[in-house]
Amino acid sequence: MKPTSLEEAVELTKKFTSRPSNEELLKLYGLYKQATEGDNNEERPGGFDFKAAAKHNSWLNFKGKSKEEAEAMYIALVEQLANTHI
């Protein structure tokens, strides 16, 4: 199945039978946030919340990309991951 929208790509990730790597999951998260909310202007999580910090940094990696560009990248990544996780 080839997703044609962000919503279809999100639905396809729910059909994955194996878990993508943490790196892949963070990239999906960052692209999704960029596609749906735009640039990350939130304050960096403090303390020892490493998971929140990693997610924050992943989203920051896509700063400056348009929502459309991030959505296209998200869809392409989901399509690539579907080959190995479905």
Side-chain angles (χ1 to χ4, degrees):
M1 177 184 174
K2 184 173 179 148
T4 57
S5 69
L6 187 65
E7 294 76 24
E8 284 181 16
V10 169
E11 284 305 308
L12 187 54
T13 65
K14 295 175 183 173
K15 296 178 181 168
F16 285 5
T17 56
S18 60
R19 188 176 186 274
S21 70
N22 286 341
E23 185 179 309
E24 292 165 334
L25 290 171
L26 283 171
K27 190 170 183 183
L28 284 171
Y29 175 84
L31 284 169
Y32 180 82
K33 293 292 275 185
Q34 188 70 23
T36 57
E37 297 184 32
D39 286 345
N40 181 352
N41 295 314
E42 295 179 5
E43 237 177 83
R44 189 180 196 303
F48 293 98
D49 192 346
F50 299 115
K51 186 175 180 180
K55 290 168 94 172
H56 179 84
N57 291 337
S58 179
W59 183 7
L60 272 180
N61 286 337
F62 300 105
K63 190 170 189 157
K65 294 210 179 301
S66 70
K67 288 183 176 187
E68 295 76 17
E69 192 177 4
E71 182 174 334
M73 291 173 69
Y74 181 90
I75 292 168
L77 180 57
V78 168
E79 191 177 340
Q80 174 192 338
L81 293 174
N83 292 329
T84 52
H85 296 288
I86 290 185

